[in-house]
Each structure stands twice: as structure tokens, then as C-alpha cells.
Amino acid sequence: MNLFTDGFNEAIQLLVSGNDSVYSAIAVTITVSSWSLFISLIIGLPLGFLLGYYNFPGKTVVRTIVDTLLALPTVVIGLIAYTMLSRSGVFGEFGLLFTQKSIIIGQVVLGLPIIIALTATQVEAVDKRLYLSLKGLGANSRQILLSTLIEARFGLMTAAMTAYGRIVTEIGISMMVGGNIKYHTRTVTTAIALETGKGEFITGIALGLVLFCVALMVNIALSMLKRKWTQ
Amino acid sequence: MDTVKSLYELKNIEHYHNEKRVLNIDKLILEQSKITGFFGPNGSGKSTLFSILSFVSKPTFGTVLFNGVDSKKLEHKVKQDIVILPQNPYLLKRSVFDNVAYGLSLRNDIKNLNERVSQALKQVGLEDSFQNRKWSQLSGGEAQRVALAARLILKPKVLILDEPTSGVDTNSAQLIKEAIFLAKQKWDTTLFISSHDHNWLNHTCDKKVALFQGKLVQSGSINLIFAPWKKASNGNLIKEFLCGQKLIFENSTSKKRDSIVMIGSDDIYLNKKSSNSVKAVITSIFKENCANQMLVEFVIGGITLNAKLSKNIIEEKRLLPGSEVDVTIDTSKACWI
């Protein structure tokens, strides 16, 4: 219990004292996770819509693959991303390894199946009368896509929150392709691993609490948005 | 002389759902600027036909001509002039204002939006204060009227209404009916309406189309009598009405007990007593296209039927809604489906 309360106190101290390395890790975490979520949504929402809305040959196979990718360990994604981004890899010439961009790429691979699978589920669950109403009012395919996604917005927010939760708490990708470089690619999770490895459990717990606060703030913001929409 | 222009021409239409044929129409011509009523039992193909007429779905086989142009070659803009109000319409999870303005925003026609939304709501009997309400704050009748306002604001050339008054209270139903007629008067909108309310269809439509099991059975005044049937000792089928009266159908020994009988209005005789006649109560009388011919609607034990009668006889016998009459149905003319 002491460890936890001491960690809590240190977390407050770290935040109040404006510790550079902590704030850098928080900034990197928020930056890369936000970009990862944004890119995952841009790519994942239309793909999820297509998967949920249309029937096509092989749909079940695609759905099974996407669902399987949900359980892909982050360390495996990190490993695959590493082999592709390292100097001898397919994308080695771009020099992305150990940059924030490489973490974003890995996290997009992590978040994309979540967005696609949950969007498809939400679109499948949308009232079947919606299509007839939209089409009957003269909507074209693009307008139907947009309106359907807007109608499924509450479910899609849950999908985004789920994806964000997984992205912001992952460590395998950030560690393997980010390299845990201080002030550059060190995220809160890699910092926790480092501090715990050094035996600095209290600092590790403090950073964990900071991570929890970041996730809490994001969730509160989304919940407020959801309440505003429903009222 | 008025010339009636055909707006739709359907040729050899067949439509399948999961390999089951749900619509089979050889030929159907629908006229412009007219109100055409569609009726038939549930599952007769009305909604499927409306979905095809509104170009929401394509028939599996066959051709639909709109103003003489094949539907496959129609531009999206032309299709946008045809608007359908489906049975149990879906309201977007947004405010009433957003719902009513949605069609206009699809068309990028957003001038004087507030005023137009207000006017459309007024047309369906809803006050301005409804604009800010959420979709979840509306009753069934209000939601139906908002959905209709969302269609009327578009001033469509063709308005297709699939059972617009089903499941709404009497007041809402009346307001919906008035709004529909206003659209016809103001913009000369061609209307296709399906309803189980035969009385309303009789009063409002220029033409009626009957559908049964996906086929056109007859346009005009026909009557359908549904199962259950009872067997007489000689094997003929008997229709026993709720009021206890019985009607024996001759030469029906070979007919199945889940059959449906179709009888034309011309084969039903009012004010005529016979060994097989039943008592009925007149519910409405209205003028047909023919000057001296009236269509009389009557009820036998909850089943509404209609028959034709000359104006002179009606006046002579002083037949009025509420009058009891003897009805003889020429059962030999019954068409068994």
C-alpha cells in the first residue's frame, strides 16, 4: 500500500515540479497516440463501413482475418514493423526506425483492426430502414456512407475509445521501433518499463498514474461529447 | 381536351427476394399528376413496387420507363424529384430541424432554410417549437409528420407514400391526409399511396391498383374475401362473418380452405334479396367517374366491400350511410386465388 501511496505522491510531485523527462514522455505519448488514432479512423471507418454494409464474396473470410488481427500481440506488430523499417527492410530507405513516425505506423497497424471490426459491427447494427429513408430522400452513395457513419456515431465513439485505450497503453511497438530514446521516442509506457527495470518502482507507479489520468481525460471529453449529442 | 401523360411504364417486371418471386407485373402504366392508390393484403408486393418506383431498388428483371426514359439511363438529379415516405420511416438521430432540412442539404439547396423548415412543419400541423426537439422526443404520429415534412419540403414531382397513416392517431392521420392534398394542389405532385383504408383510397384516388401475391389483380373496384372458410354438408365453402351471417359459395367444393375470393363490384347487388343474401350496413357513398354511377361501400360483420349502384336507385330507396341493405353476391362470378 505504501508503494502505491508513495507512487501517487511522487506522481503529483513529478507533475507539479514540471519534470522535463516526464512531460516529454507525456507529450510523445499524446502526440503519437493521437496521430495513430486519427490515421486509424481515416482508413478504418470507410473500410469498416464497406465490410459492414455490403455483401461480397469472401466477406466472412475478411471478417475472420480482421477479428483475428484484434488479438495480435503488440510485440509481434513491433517485430514486423522493425523488420520492415530497419535498414535492410522493405522501407529501410526512408530512415523511419527509432522515430515517432515508426511508432505511429506500428500503432496504426494495432488500431486499424479495432476500428474496422467495431465499425463493421456498428454499421451492421444500424436500423435497416435507414438505407431506404436516405435513398428515398435522394442521397447518393457517398452521402449514404457519411450519414450512416453519423447515425452510428455513438457506437463509433466506443470503437475509437477502445482503439485509443489499446494504442495509448501499448509498449511492444514503442519499445521495438521507437527505441525508448529520451526526449525523442520515450513514451509513458516505455518509461515505466525502464524505471521498473532500474528498480525505481515508485517512479514507475507515478508514471502509471499519469498514464491513467491521460486516458481518463480523453474518456471524460468523449463522454461529454456523447452527452451533448444525445441531449 | 385534357391529355393524360403516362409517367411510368413498367414492362415485364419480376423481382425476387432470396429466390422467391415477390413481384410479377406484365405491364403497368401510371399517369402524371394523378393520385393512384395501391391496395392489397400484407406481403402482396406494394412496398417492393414502391421501392422500384422510387428507384431505391432495381427490379430483378424487366424495364421501368420514367417519362419514356429507361430507368437505367436516368440521371441522379431526375431521380431526386421522386421521393418516398416508407412505411415506418426512419428519423435521423438528430433534431427535427436537421431531419426536415436533410433532403435539402443533400441537394445543396440551403437558402432560407429556417423559413422553409418552419413552413414544412406548419404544413403537417407542427409548431415551430418542434424544430429543436430531438428525434427521441417525438410521439409516433409526430415522428410520421416530421418524416412527411422532410419530404414535402423538397416539393417533389412524385411523392410515394407507403401506408402513411398506419399506426398513427386519428388526428395525425387527418393532418397527414391534408398535407398530402396540399402538395397535390400546390405543386401538382403525382402521388402513389398504399393503404389498407379502402374508404380513404376510394375518396382520394383517381385510380386504384390492386396487388395480390405480387401480381396486379385488377385496377378499379374489386373486393377480396379472405379465409377462414367453413365446409357445408355438400362440400361448398361458406364464409361465416363475425356477425354470424353466412354466405355460401357455389361450385367451391374443389377450392382450398385457405383460398381468397376476388369479386368485382359489378357482381355484388345491393338492395336485392335472395336465398343467399346477407344484411349489410352502408358506410359511404361516393361518385365514380361515370356521371350516374355511385360506388357504395358497406360492411358485413367487419368486412368492408363495395358495389356499384345508380344514383337514381340510391335516391329512390333513400340509401344513406348507416342504412341497412340486403346484399346478394353472385358467387358464381367469384375468382378463387
Side-chain angles (χ1 to χ4, degrees), chain B residues 150-177:
Chain B
R151 273 81 187 164
L152 294 176
I153 201 170
L154 302 172
K155 298 181 181 171
K157 287 186 179 156
V158 180
L159 179 58
I160 302 171
L161 304 155
D162 195 355
E163 297 188 27
T165 55
S166 72
V168 299
D169 58 274
T170 325
N171 182 42
S172 288
Q174 188 54 38
L175 287 162
I176 287 168
K177 288 171 186 176

Side-chain angles (χ1 to χ4, degrees), chain A residues 5-203:
Chain A
T5 48
D6 289 348
F8 186 77
N9 289 333
E10 190 173 330
I12 304 286
Q13 278 173 19
L14 282 173
L15 289 172
V16 172
S17 66
N19 186 297
D20 277 356
S21 58
V22 170
Y23 273 94
S24 163
I26 293 170
V28 171
T29 301
I30 292 173
T31 306
V32 295
S33 60
S34 300
W35 274 109
S36 304
L37 181 67
F38 177 71
I39 296 168
S40 298
L41 287 170
I42 293 290
I43 303 170
L45 287 177
L47 290 179
F49 175 84
L50 294 175
L51 188 58
Y53 202 73
Y54 293 105
N55 288 317
F56 52 87
K59 180 177 174 170
T60 317
V61 177
V62 175
R63 194 68 204 255
T64 309
I65 291 169
V66 172
D67 289 345
T68 308
L69 289 175
L70 290 174
L72 205 60
T74 57
V75 76
V76 174
I77 298 172
L79 184 63
I80 294 167
Y82 186 91
T83 55
M84 295 181 98
L85 299 173
S86 63
R87 200 171 287 272
S88 56
V90 184
F91 303 111
E93 59 182 295
F94 298 110
L96 292 169
L97 196 64
F98 303 138
T99 65
Q100 289 184 12
K101 285 176 187 163
S102 66
I103 301 176
I104 293 170
I105 291 169
Q107 289 184 343
V108 167
V109 176
L110 176 69
L112 205 51
I114 301 171
I115 299 293
I116 293 174
L118 295 184
T119 302
T121 306
Q122 290 303 321
V123 169
E124 279 168 351
V126 163
D127 198 313
K128 300 293 172 225
R129 296 172 300 157
L130 175 66
Y131 175 76
L132 181 60
S133 281
L134 297 179
K135 189 92 175 155
L137 280 165
N140 59 29
S141 303
R142 189 181 56 84
Q143 290 164 332
I144 289 173
L145 183 149
L146 277 175
S147 298
T148 306
L149 290 180
I150 292 170
E151 280 307 284
R153 60 189 178 274
F154 301 130
L156 297 183
M157 268 175 60
T158 309
M161 283 158 82
T162 309
Y164 190 76
R166 189 130 153 81
I167 287 169
V168 84
T169 55
E170 69 79 26
I171 183 170
I173 297 165
S174 302
M175 192 65 96
M176 292 197 80
V177 295
N180 196 18
I181 303 165
K182 197 173 183 182
Y183 299 121
H184 183 50
T185 58
R186 180 168 295 169
T187 63
V188 175
T189 51
T190 56
I192 291 171
L194 183 73
E195 295 300 332
T196 310
K198 285 182 349 197
E200 298 287 344
F201 293 107
I202 293 173
T203 314

Side-chain angles (χ1 to χ4, degrees), chain B residues 249-260:
Chain B
F249 280 76
E250 290 166 23
N251 307 320
S252 59
T253 48
S254 60
K255 307 299 176 194
K256 288 180 184 170
R257 289 174 74 166
D258 59 350
S259 302
I260 294 168

